[in-house]
Amino acid sequence: MKPGFTRYLPILTWGRTYDCSALTNDLVAAVIVTIMLIPQSLAYALLAGLPPEAGIYASIAPILLYAVFGTSRALAVGPVAVVSLLTASAVGQVAQQGTAGYAVAALTLAGLSGGILLLLGIFRLGFLANFLSHPVIAGFITASGILIATSQLKHILGIEAGGHTLIQMAGSILTHLGQTNPITVIIGVTATVFLFWVRKGLKPLLRRMGAGPLLADIIAKAGPVAAVVVTTLAVWGFDLAGHGVSIVGQVPQALPPLTLPSLSPDLIGQLLVPAILISVIGFVESISVAQTLAAKKRQRIDPNQELIGLGAANIGAAFTGGYPVTGGFARSVVNFDAGAETPAAGAFTAIGLAIAALSLTPLVYYLPNATLAATIVVAVLSLVDFSILRKTWAYSRTDFTAVAATILVTLTLGVEIGVASGVVLSIALHLYKTSRPHVAEVGLIPGTNHFRNISRHDVATDAQILTLRVDESLYFVNARFLEDLIQDRVIDGRSLRHVILMCSAVNEIDYSALESLEAINHRLGDLGVGLHLSEVKGPVMDRLRKTHFLDQLNGSVFLSQYDAWMALSQPDNAQKVAE
């Protein structure tokens, strides 16, 4: 088998060594994750504005396809809170919720997202996700968690409410507060409190009672199922639906159907930008989880192959009645902790969900929407992390500004504008930081060959020599900054005879920066000041040799800064260099 072929089909790699031990571990993990996913999938479909079965459908074919094409051994693919919210926001602008057009638009969104991810993976463009900074992502996810939790209050209160921003949602909830259904509130609040307790307190309690680690973990993960069973029985037994409690209702008892996304140019045009945003956010969330879990077992994740795996999963969702999916943090951690050895655990989970779709869906007819809302609220509040504001404030005010702006924009203008602003802010933040690179004047530490910042160390300097260490690659954004900096320093230094650019941290010089260096060389030459370079890296020197810059340089290129210092700080040698 050719190595290139197995790279695109990771299943051929781990499948060769699959044994009974891995099978046992994967089956145990699949049971635990399946128990967790049944109520969660229904809840996330509700969040996306789709019928509850869409959540289960989106958790079957995508998981199977990811098991074939993905590289993570523990990543669990399916509907997640943030992507579900983005789906509701995007699809809600082109179709009315509850209509066939809404479901078709969701399928189309999944297909577009899958196609985008596949193209990025095939052309090995996974690095583009690096332009979305972690602080900005953290800010967006925190704001999204708040929006998601707020959007579910209407189900917990039993009222009609809408809106895409925090202000709109809060205003709508307050307007309809008089319609609150007391029974629904009791169900929703009780379920929420119970699920919070299950998440934090049930497992330690079971361990104190003598339960084994595995049994305690399985029972704790089954907490949401217990909430579903108890509240469903209560609604059925006391006929609470007749007292205004909203229920899930009829759910088709079938495997995922074969569906076709729309090929309408108008619909595709309307959904293209949201699809790009969903793809970027989904990939960043997924790759972060995958790499974190892989590092714990010293396994390797290929970001470009992950794009292909997630792309295949989304295309699978588009043709099987689902909507956009990605790797979920909570379910992946559960999968990992439960002992999943290979992606086969995901395949077994998909089989479990298929069995549930065939046999268990009639049992959720009386399931109250308030319970599903409680499941979502408990899940997403773990995503809210305001500590990122404190951490970035203490570390970098620029990063703090980006995080705070992302949170505010997302809460006040909606998730699509929020994530778009996050992308723009990430790129702008990078450009701002590199547009004003750290440039240190350095001197020789006595008794050594090392040069350090004159502001931080006691160093030897020469009034006739100015050595500047540029701690950034030089390109069009910061080229002018370096020109102005050297111009100001030369004007102030009347006795200056040599300027040395120490290029140990310069990995690239683009054409705009080359033109700036030529301008600097020309101006210094007119002033009788030599321009010298030291510690230029090989690839950078290779490019400079293709130009006339080195021939026109009025100074020299030195292998090390110490060589430059020794040559220029001694008057005789300095005169020779200048000549």
Side-chain angles (χ1 to χ4, degrees):
M1 192 73 66
K2 295 182 179 179
F5 189 69
T6 57
R7 186 183 72 187
Y8 290 108
L9 288 171
I11 189 175
L12 298 178
T13 300
W14 59 262
R16 290 197 200 104
T17 59
Y18 201 69
D19 54 23
C20 289
S21 175
L23 173 63
T24 302
N25 291 333
D26 286 344
L27 283 173
V28 172
V31 169
I32 294 174
V33 175
T34 301
I35 292 171
M36 172 186 176
L37 281 188
I38 291 173
Q40 196 178 77
S41 298
L42 297 172
Y44 286 152
L46 179 71
L47 176 59
L50 291 162
E53 65 269 16
I56 294 179
Y57 295 163
S59 300
I60 297 177
I63 296 179
L64 292 172
L65 287 167
Y66 181 83
V68 175
F69 295 102
T71 60
S72 172
R73 302 291 181 97
L75 191 70
V77 172
V80 299
V82 173
V83 171
S84 297
L85 179 64
L86 287 167
T87 298
S89 176
V91 177
Q93 296 179 23
V94 299
Q96 182 67 35
Q97 186 172 327
T99 64
Y102 191 95
V104 171
L107 298 174
T108 306
L109 188 62
L112 284 173
S113 179
I116 292 166
L117 290 166
L118 270 180
L119 288 175
L120 289 174
I122 291 171
F123 291 103
R124 306 189 69 78
L125 298 176
F127 70 90
L128 293 176
N130 295 335
F131 286 100
L132 203 55
S133 72
H134 177 265
V136 167
I137 281 288
F140 171 73
I141 290 178
T142 291
S144 297
I146 295 171
L147 287 178
I148 292 169
T150 305
S151 71
Q152 297 308 298
L153 290 179
K154 63 182 180 183
H155 297 296
I156 293 177
L157 296 174
I159 61 177
E160 294 292 332
H164 296 290
T165 69
L166 185 62
I167 296 173
Q168 291 173 350
M169 291 179 189
S172 182
I173 289 171
L174 290 173
T175 301
H176 297 88
L177 205 56
Q179 303 170 1
T180 299
N181 185 296
I183 301 176
T184 301
V185 172
I186 292 172
I187 293 172
V189 172
T190 302
T192 302
V193 172
F194 172 75
L195 290 174
F196 269 118
W197 175 76
V198 164
R199 173 167 290 205
K200 298 292 184 181
L202 180 57
K203 186 174 180 179
L205 176 62
L206 292 171
R207 294 289 287 134
R208 288 195 299 270
M209 293 173 64
L214 181 59
L215 179 61
D217 194 54
I218 293 176
I219 295 175
K221 296 299 185 298
V225 176
V228 166
V229 170
V230 171
T231 55
T232 300
L233 289 175
V235 171
W236 170 73
F238 296 101
D239 189 26
L240 299 181
H243 293 78
V245 174
S246 177
I247 58 174
V248 168
Q250 187 69 41
V251 177
Q253 191 174 357
L255 291 173
L258 179 63
T259 54
L260 292 174
S262 172
L263 297 178
S264 165
D266 290 339
L267 182 61
I268 291 173
Q270 290 175 296
L271 294 176
L272 183 58
V273 172
I276 293 172
L277 297 177
I278 286 174
S279 300
V280 172
I281 289 295
F283 174 64
V284 170
E285 180 177 353
S286 179
I287 197 68
S288 299
V289 176
Q291 289 178 334
T292 299
L293 297 179
K296 294 182 178 181
K297 290 191 175 182
R298 297 188 178 182
Q299 296 168 346
R300 180 178 174 273
I301 297 297
D302 182 351
N304 292 303
Q305 185 59 33
E306 282 298 289
L307 284 166
I308 293 175
L310 291 173
N314 276 280
I315 289 175
F319 285 93
T320 56
Y323 65 99
V325 298
T326 192
F329 176 76
R331 71 185 66 177
S332 297
V333 171
V334 170
N335 198 35
F336 180 86
D337 290 343
E341 293 283 344
T342 72
F348 296 142
T349 299
I351 294 172
L353 290 171
I355 294 172
L358 281 172
S359 58
L360 300 181
T361 49
L363 302 179
V364 300
Y365 181 91
Y366 289 100
L367 173 61
N369 287 330
T371 301
L372 294 180
T375 302
I376 294 174
V377 169
V378 173
V380 301
L381 285 184
S382 64
L383 303 176
V384 177
D385 179 19
F386 284 113
S387 69
I388 190 68
L389 291 170
R390 173 178 51 80
K391 293 173 183 175
T392 52
W393 176 265
Y395 186 76
S396 168
R397 299 300 165 83
T398 304
D399 286 335
F400 169 81
T401 302
V403 173
T406 302
I407 291 175
L408 288 175
V409 170
T410 303
L411 291 178
T412 56
L413 298 180
V415 287
E416 286 190 359
I417 297 177
V419 70
S421 68
V423 173
V424 172
L425 276 171
S426 294
I427 297 173
L429 187 61
H430 171 73
L431 293 176
Y432 174 76
K433 288 178 178 178
T434 57
S435 70
R436 302 180 63 84
H438 181 259
V439 179
E441 181 178 350
V442 299
L444 178 66
I445 296 179
T448 73
N449 295 347
H450 302 295
F451 290 78
R452 293 292 185 268
N453 192 329
I454 64 172
S455 300
R456 295 176 179 271
H457 301 272
D458 293 327
V459 295
T461 59
D462 188 322
Q464 294 186 343
I465 301 174
L466 172 65
T467 299
L468 298 176
R469 188 190 68 220
V470 184
D471 295 333
E472 183 66 67
S473 291
L474 296 176
Y475 70 123
F476 66 95
V477 172
N478 58 27
R480 184 72 184 182
F481 173 81
L482 184 62
E483 275 191 64
D484 295 339
L485 177 65
I486 293 177
Q487 180 74 14
D488 293 341
R489 296 301 302 273
V490 170
I491 291 174
D492 294 339
R494 299 185 182 277
S495 60
L496 200 62
R497 292 292 176 265
H498 304 284
V499 172
I500 307 172
L501 292 182
M502 185 175 173
C503 301
S504 55
V506 177
N507 294 317
E508 186 175 359
I509 297 176
D510 75 355
Y511 194 78
S512 296
L514 175 64
E515 291 183 330
S516 290
L517 289 176
E518 290 173 342
I520 292 169
N521 182 58
H522 180 72
R523 290 172 189 167
L524 293 180
D526 290 343
L527 295 172
V529 178
L531 175 63
H532 311 273
L533 306 179
S534 73
E535 303 189 9
V536 183
K537 293 185 176 181
V540 177
M541 183 60 76
D542 291 341
R543 282 198 173 185
L544 293 180
R545 287 196 180 105
K546 296 178 182 179
T547 71
H548 298 293
F549 174 71
L550 295 179
D551 297 329
Q552 299 169 356
L553 187 66
N554 59 39
S556 298
V557 179
F558 294 94
L559 183 63
S560 71
Q561 177 57 32
Y562 187 74
D563 291 343
W565 172 266
M566 293 301 295
L568 301 177
S569 64
Q570 300 175 29
D572 293 340
N573 289 340
Q575 183 63 31
K576 289 180 182 178
V577 172
E579 292 174 357

